[in-house]
């Protein structure tokens, strides 16, 4: 089995690969081919004309306007979608012409069975039936035979070594990068690569020679933050792909967590929420690797110690030992159970709720078992620990919403979405904002969107209340923007 590490850094035909930058895939999709692909499913001329204008809108760089003759705009909201629509024909080519990702039918699976395995399995079945009808005298000998046959069955390959899986190409694409696992020698792999290159040239693109890599299954390749490496199966029948967490990724996440914990001026609630979100998000991404739990435990241990050193610096404690004794006595260092793991972690109280340092990695997952629809609630919008510098710590909105039970303190009807400082903090220095937020933590009001604007006279801009007159009424639930948050949250 060989790997083909993909390489569309998608470019027009005839252009040298070395000319393009490292992530130039979206910049070179030909507009005629893209519009042709869109017109296969979209018949409305107005929508097609709008998409064409979006592609030809151009861009500004160094205060100069540049026209776009190919590619989709970098950072555009439609660019990933349009690129996937255009490259879908490459996916169809791999699946239909090259037979990629072809499943094995039941008939093919039975034909690949090892005759020796079937023979031993049949013998085990007959011994099991005989064991049910025999008396207690001969039962001990039969149990011994069953155990011996079971051991022999476990050592025997399920499939015949000479009969291969019908699928020769395993193919995965993400955006403009792809990886193909090919069951064959180097000559067959090069032939498949040439066919892929020919298909891309028909689409108006070229296969990047710089990014394309042909390698043996024993040598790992990098793809989407993982390392993919082939490993021979235990019984010697076939080779399976193994996902490995790169050591540099482990080092990078630990350095990021240690960097957050190095700022002792961050409020404890802000630091705990940020560190927990970083650890939880990293583990959720790499949970599909093979045997990731040792790596998770290593990162969790370093996270715990980084947060402990943060508390030592923040509370000016002379040693970790004294910190642990003090936190255990105060009930802030507790043993909790989550995701089937029992660990010693830190816990603080913010308002009526408790915040816990989340060092509980998720359970190991399998990519083939991912459901298309899931409940993605955690870490959709990562919390930034820099908001405390503006006088908006994480503990203030928690305590305000807990005091109001999640209901606006003015209208007592709508849910509370914002926190209003009773004393303005705008225009003050960083230190004055931090001190003001700390002093107002128990007096801040939890308000809804409409009441929050009324508290500021209809405008968040000082001295410009007349410009936004009536804005609070336009944002009421009876108008079209019901329930939508504004792009800013100001007091």
């Amino acid at each position: 089995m060989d790997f083909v590490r993909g390489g569309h850094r998608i470019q027009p035909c005839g252009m040298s690969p070395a000319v393009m930058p490292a992530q130039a895939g979206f910049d070179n999709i030909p507009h005629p081919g893209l519009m042709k692909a869109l017109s296969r499913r979209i018949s409305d001329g107005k929508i097609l004309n709008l998409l064409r204008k979006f592609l030809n809108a151009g861009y500004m760089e160094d205060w100069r306007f540049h026209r776009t003759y190919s590619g989709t705009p970098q950072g555009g909201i439609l660019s990933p979608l349009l690129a996937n629509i255009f490259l879908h024909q490459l996916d169809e080519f791999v699946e239909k012409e090259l037979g990629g990702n072809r499943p094995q039918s039941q008939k093919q699976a039975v034909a690949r069975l090892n005759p020796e395995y079937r023979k031993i399995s049949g013998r085990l079945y007959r011994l099991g039936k005989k064991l049910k009808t025999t008396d207690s005298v001969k039962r001990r000998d039969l149990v011994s035979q069953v155990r011996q046959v079971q051991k022999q069955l476990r050592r025997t390959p399920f499939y015949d070594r000479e009969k291969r899986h019908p699928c020769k190409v395993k193919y995965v694409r993400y955006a403009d990068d792809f990886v193909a696992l090919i069951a064959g020698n180097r000559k067959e792999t090069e032939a498949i690569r040439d066919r892929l290159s020919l298909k891309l040239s028909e689409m108006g693109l070229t296969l990047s020679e710089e990014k394309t890599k042909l390698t043996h299954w024993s040598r790992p390749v990098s793809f989407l933050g993982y390392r993919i490496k082939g490993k021979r199966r235990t019984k010697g029948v076939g080779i399976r792909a193994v996902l490995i967490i790169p050591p540099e990724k482990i080092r990078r996440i630990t350095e990021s967590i240690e960097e957050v914990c190095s700022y002792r001026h961050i409020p404890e609630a802000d630091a705990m929420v940020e560190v927990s979100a970083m650890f939880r998000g990293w583990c959720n991404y790499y949970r599909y690797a093979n045997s990731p739990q040792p790596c998770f435990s290593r990162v969790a241990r370093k996270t715990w110690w980084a947060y402990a050193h943060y508390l030592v610096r923040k509370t000016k404690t002379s040693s970790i030992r004294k910190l642990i004794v003090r936190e255990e006595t105060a009930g802030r260092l507790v043993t909790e159970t989550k995701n089937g793991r029992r660990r010693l972690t830190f816990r603080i109280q913010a308002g009526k709720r408790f915040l816990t340092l989340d060092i509980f990695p998720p359970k190991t997952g399998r990519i083939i078992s991912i459901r298309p629809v899931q409940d993605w609630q955690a870490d959709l919008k990562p919390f930034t620990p820099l908001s405390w510098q503006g006088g908006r710590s994480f503990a203030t909105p928690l305590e305000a919403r807990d005091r109001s039970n999640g209901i606006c303190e003015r209208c007592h009807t709508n849910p509370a979405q914002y926190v209003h400082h009773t004393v303005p903090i705008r225009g003050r220095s960083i230190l004055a904002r931090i001190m003001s937020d700390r002093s107002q933590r128990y007096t801040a009001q939890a308000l809804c969107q409409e009441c929050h604007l009324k508290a500021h006279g209809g405008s968040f801009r000082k001295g410009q209340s007349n410009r936004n007159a009536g804005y609070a009424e336009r944002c009421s639930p009876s108008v079209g923007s019901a329930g939508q948050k504004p792009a800013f949250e100001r007091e």
Side-chain angles (χ1 to χ4, degrees):
M1 179 176 66
D2 286 347
F3 292 134
V4 175
R5 171 63 169 83
H8 329 159
R9 199 141 25 123
I10 298 178
Q11 307 171 25
C13 293
M15 183 173 289
S16 172
V19 176
M20 305 304 296
Q23 298 294 334
F26 294 156
D27 289 345
N28 298 280
I29 295 178
H31 290 177
L34 177 58
M35 295 305 301
K36 183 178 179 180
L38 292 171
S39 61
R40 294 173 185 169
R41 298 294 299 270
I42 301 175
S43 58
D44 193 337
K46 293 182 178 180
I47 296 180
L48 292 174
N49 188 34
L50 182 62
L51 292 174
R52 187 178 291 105
K53 290 181 179 180
F54 174 83
L55 295 173
N56 298 328
Y59 63 95
M60 294 288 293
E61 184 177 0
D62 295 332
W63 298 100
R64 293 184 60 186
F65 175 76
H66 300 267
R67 296 187 178 274
T68 52
Y69 301 98
S70 63
T72 56
Q74 287 286 342
I77 56 176
L78 292 180
S79 297
L81 176 62
L82 295 178
N84 281 327
I85 292 174
F86 181 73
L87 294 174
H88 179 66
Q89 51 188 317
L90 179 64
D91 304 339
E92 292 180 337
F93 172 79
V94 174
E95 293 179 357
K96 295 180 180 179
E97 300 296 331
L98 302 181
N101 302 336
R102 181 184 300 172
Q104 179 180 246
S105 64
Q106 185 67 26
K107 184 177 180 180
Q108 291 171 336
V110 173
R112 292 182 60 212
L113 287 179
N114 186 2
E116 186 68 20
Y117 186 93
R118 298 180 66 176
K119 181 180 178 180
I120 300 174
S121 180
R123 183 184 176 189
L124 183 63
Y125 175 75
R126 290 189 296 271
L127 286 174
K129 289 185 65 176
K130 191 175 181 180
L131 190 62
K132 294 179 181 179
T133 58
T134 188
D135 53 5
S136 58
V137 179
K138 298 180 180 180
R139 185 178 183 85
R140 182 175 297 177
D141 295 336
L142 286 175
V143 169
S144 178
Q145 293 182 27
V146 167
R147 289 177 178 174
Q148 291 179 1
V149 173
Q150 286 178 342
K151 290 182 180 179
Q152 187 178 2
L153 187 66
R154 285 194 292 268
R155 291 193 298 264
T156 305
F158 183 77
Y159 289 118
D160 192 348
R161 297 185 179 182
E162 303 299 327
K163 298 177 181 179
R164 300 299 182 184
H165 194 281
C167 180
K168 194 175 184 64
V169 180
K170 291 290 186 179
Y171 165 83
V172 177
R173 180 183 63 83
Y174 182 82
D176 59 342
D177 283 337
F178 67 88
V179 62
L181 283 68
I182 301 171
N185 52 32
R186 186 173 184 85
K187 185 177 180 180
E188 294 173 336
T189 305
E190 291 177 349
I192 293 177
R193 181 199 59 186
D194 295 339
R195 295 186 64 181
L196 287 172
S197 179
L198 180 61
K199 177 60 180 178
L200 288 173
S201 63
E202 294 175 357
M203 297 167 54
L205 310 172
T206 56
L207 192 66
S208 174
E209 297 294 338
E210 179 185 346
K211 292 182 64 177
T212 303
K213 181 180 181 181
L214 271 67
T215 182
H216 192 258
W217 57 266
S218 60
R219 299 177 182 177
V221 295
S222 299
F223 185 67
L224 300 181
Y226 283 89
R227 280 187 181 176
I228 307 176
K229 184 180 180 180
K231 184 178 181 180
R232 195 180 297 277
R233 297 186 183 275
T234 54
K235 297 179 181 179
V237 181
I239 299 166
R240 65 188 181 96
V242 178
L243 298 180
I244 305 172
I245 303 178
E248 58 268 17
K249 301 298 181 181
I250 302 176
R251 184 175 61 255
R252 186 175 301 176
I253 184 61
T254 54
E255 290 176 354
S256 300
I257 291 175
E258 290 173 354
E259 182 181 0
V260 173
C261 294
S262 64
Y263 301 111
R264 62 181 179 85
H265 300 291
I266 301 178
E268 191 172 353
D270 297 44
M272 180 174 289
V273 170
E274 171 68 8
V275 170
S276 299
M278 294 171 65
F279 176 81
R280 186 169 56 247
W282 187 85
C283 291
N284 282 330
Y285 184 80
Y286 284 106
R287 62 182 296 193
Y288 303 105
N290 293 79
S291 303
Q293 296 303 329
C295 297
F296 291 168
S297 298
R298 196 185 318 155
V299 176
R301 183 169 59 252
K302 292 185 178 181
T303 301
W304 192 94
W305 281 106
Y307 190 81
H309 283 283
Y310 157 78
L311 290 180
V312 167
R313 288 188 293 267
K314 186 172 184 64
T315 59
K316 299 181 180 180
T317 309
S318 58
S319 66
I320 294 286
R321 186 187 186 94
K322 292 183 179 180
L323 173 74
I324 292 176
V325 172
R326 187 191 65 208
E327 295 296 309
E328 285 182 339
T329 305
R332 293 191 294 267
L333 186 61
V334 296
T335 301
E336 292 197 359
T337 303
K338 182 181 177 182
N339 297 335
R341 293 170 176 83
R342 192 166 180 264
R343 292 186 174 179
L344 187 69
T345 185
F346 295 95
R347 184 180 67 179
I348 61 175
Q349 185 174 4
K352 297 180 181 179
R353 69 182 70 184
F354 289 94
L355 299 178
T356 305
L357 180 65
D358 192 354
I359 53 173
F360 302 91
K363 295 182 178 180
T364 304
R366 299 181 64 191
I367 294 180
I368 60 175
S369 63
I370 299 178
R371 299 188 302 272
V373 179
Q374 296 191 23
D375 186 13
W376 304 101
Q377 292 183 355
D379 307 324
L380 285 179
K381 185 179 179 181
F383 177 76
T384 170
L386 299 179
S387 57
W388 63 275
Q389 295 182 356
R392 300 174 181 87
S393 64
F394 187 75
T396 300
L398 284 181
E399 296 182 3
R401 293 191 183 100
D402 287 339
R403 286 194 302 269
S404 64
N405 294 323
I407 305 299
C408 179
E409 296 186 33
R410 288 197 176 188
C411 63
H412 304 286
T413 304
N414 299 326
Q417 297 177 333
Y418 302 92
V419 176
H420 175 65
H421 290 79
T422 55
V423 179
I425 61 177
R426 184 185 300 276
R428 301 188 180 188
S429 63
I430 293 179
L431 182 60
R433 290 186 180 190
I434 297 172
M435 299 303 296
S436 178
D437 176 78
R438 189 180 303 171
S439 62
Q440 298 185 76
R441 187 165 298 175
Y442 305 100
T443 60
Q445 296 179 342
L447 303 178
C448 63
Q449 181 179 7
E450 184 177 355
C451 294
H452 192 207
L453 282 168
K454 286 181 179 179
H456 286 271
S459 173
F460 292 115
R461 298 183 178 182
K462 184 178 180 180
Q464 297 183 6
S465 58
N466 293 332
R467 294 183 59 183
N468 279 340
Y471 182 71
E473 290 74 13
R474 294 198 300 272
C475 291
S476 62
S478 59
V479 190
S481 59
Q484 293 184 358
K485 271 190 176 183
F488 45 85
E489 292 184 7
R490 313 254 177 126
E491 58 286 356

